[in-house]
Amino acid sequence: MISFDHDYVEEAVARLKKLRADSPPAWGRMTSGEMLEHLADTVRYSMGRLGRLPDKSNWFLRNVIYPLLAHGIIRIPRNASGPVYPKHAQRGDLETLHAVLEEYLALVQAGELEPMPHPLFGPIGVDGWAVMHGLHFEHHMRQFGV
């Protein structure tokens, strides 16, 4: 299981530095810049920076799919459609993502993160978000081969 901490973030940033603007995805239509923005938006959302998305969780997602993902039994499927975050003026580059990740980790370390409910899995708390962020990052780094 991934420990979504400073060491993991530094490793992920080092891997993401290998991306080029024209790096092709193994699946999907997202560009590498869009992927970086998407990852930053997911972390921003978990911190409550993008408002609240509609709750699309249900018993099956919370009690079957989430535990299967969280315990590494299944992976996030390719081309899975996830939440759509509100449009904003934030950039999709590695420096911005790294800054968002540092803010997130500082809040977690200080015990000050009051995370939003996950739009598909409901209230998963700080630990649940750490698991989901790790899985989500790995999913997209596989998508771009880094």
Side-chain angles (χ1 to χ4, degrees):
M1 173 137 31
I2 297 163
S3 181
F4 199 78
D5 57 14
H6 284 283
D7 291 339
Y8 176 80
V9 165
E10 293 309 315
E11 175 197 327
V13 168
R15 289 166 59 191
L16 290 167
K17 282 182 180 177
K18 296 175 186 175
L19 283 174
R20 297 184 327 265
D22 63 345
S23 293
W27 67 85
R29 292 181 247 176
M30 195 180 286
T31 66
S32 60
E34 290 168 336
M35 183 264 293
L36 294 173
E37 183 175 343
H38 170 68
L39 290 174
D41 280 349
T42 302
V43 176
R44 283 186 191 105
Y45 176 78
S46 71
M47 294 188 294
R49 304 291 191 263
L50 296 180
R52 188 181 207 113
L53 291 174
D55 180 9
K56 296 191 177 185
S57 68
N58 59 44
W59 184 92
F60 183 74
L61 290 171
R62 288 188 309 272
N63 295 289
V64 177
I65 299 301
Y66 174 74
L68 290 173
L69 285 168
H71 290 96
I73 297 167
I74 63 171
R75 285 184 171 177
I76 298 171
R78 293 180 178 195
N79 297 314
S81 60
V84 176
Y85 301 104
K87 293 293 180 196
H88 53 86
Q90 301 292 331
R91 298 180 315 181
D93 59 50
L94 189 54
E95 293 82 23
T96 301
L97 173 60
H98 197 181
V100 169
L101 288 167
E102 290 299 324
E103 179 186 4
Y104 172 86
L105 291 172
L107 288 171
V108 170
Q109 187 171 17
E112 297 175 0
L113 180 63
E114 295 182 26
M116 296 295 284
H118 191 282
L120 298 177
F121 305 121
I124 58 174
V126 173
D127 292 340
W129 271 109
V131 168
M132 289 310 299
H133 285 320
L135 294 172
H136 190 226
F137 271 66
E138 290 300 315
H139 169 77
H140 285 296
M141 289 192 287
R142 271 193 310 277
Q143 179 183 19
F144 282 88
V146 294

